[in-house]
């Protein structure tokens, strides 16, 4: 069964915003996002075609449309499944919250201490 922190996705997925990595344009019913199972996700956020998740441990995962660097990984490319953001300053901080717009991301973070 479902556990606290499990993430389910459905709907439009043509920009990989569902994170399932299956190439399907849409899913009519909720699908467990297996890559985040057991990660302790406590917050999810959606932009127009990209998605982010924050874990209880302060980790940030992003996926979907990334051609404007909005996935926080330093790349101008899409990501088909959730990936842990470990690049730049964010890799050294504890993420508290995240927000996404059309093609941008805002992260609230703190030093690990």
């Amino acid at each position: 069964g479902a556990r606290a922190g499990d993430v389910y996705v459905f709907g439009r997925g043509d920009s990989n915003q569902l994170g399932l990595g299956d190439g399907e344009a849409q899913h009519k019913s909720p699908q467990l996002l297996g890559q985040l199972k057991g990660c302790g996700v406590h917050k999810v956020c959606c932009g127009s075609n990209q998605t982010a998740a924050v874990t209880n441990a302060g980790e940030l995962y992003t996926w979907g449309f990334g051609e404007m660097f909005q996935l926080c990984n330093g790349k101008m490319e899409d990501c088909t499944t959730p990936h842990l953001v470990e690049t730049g300053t964010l890799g050294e901080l504890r993420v508290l919250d995240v927000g996404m717009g059309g093609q941008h991301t805002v992260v609230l973070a703190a030093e690990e201490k």
Side-chain angles (χ1 to χ4, degrees):
R3 299 184 324 193
D6 282 351
V7 177
Y8 288 82
V9 296
F10 53 101
R12 182 178 172 185
D14 59 343
S15 292
N16 301 301
Q17 63 267 49
L18 298 181
L20 297 169
D22 61 6
E24 295 293 324
Q26 64 182 345
H27 282 276
K28 296 178 182 178
S29 61
Q31 306 291 311
L32 175 64
L33 190 50
Q35 191 166 344
L36 294 179
K37 188 169 179 66
C39 289
V41 172
H42 76 90
K43 162 88 180 194
V44 292
C45 180
C46 299
S48 294
N49 295 303
Q50 70 275 4
T51 312
V54 179
T55 70
N56 292 325
E59 297 171 321
L60 175 65
Y61 289 83
T62 61
W63 62 94
F65 183 77
E67 293 181 12
M68 300 294 172
F69 298 107
Q70 68 269 39
L71 298 181
C72 307
N73 60 7
K75 300 176 183 175
M76 284 185 62
E77 59 188 37
D78 296 355
C79 189
T80 61
T81 59
H83 74 275
L84 176 62
V85 174
E86 299 180 288
T87 56
T89 305
L90 285 180
E92 303 168 10
L93 299 175
R94 177 180 178 84
V95 175
L96 305 173
D97 203 354
V98 64
M100 291 184 143
Q103 295 177 348
H104 69 285
T105 302
V106 178
V107 176
L108 177 66
E111 290 189 22
E112 195 59 45
K113 310 231 181 234

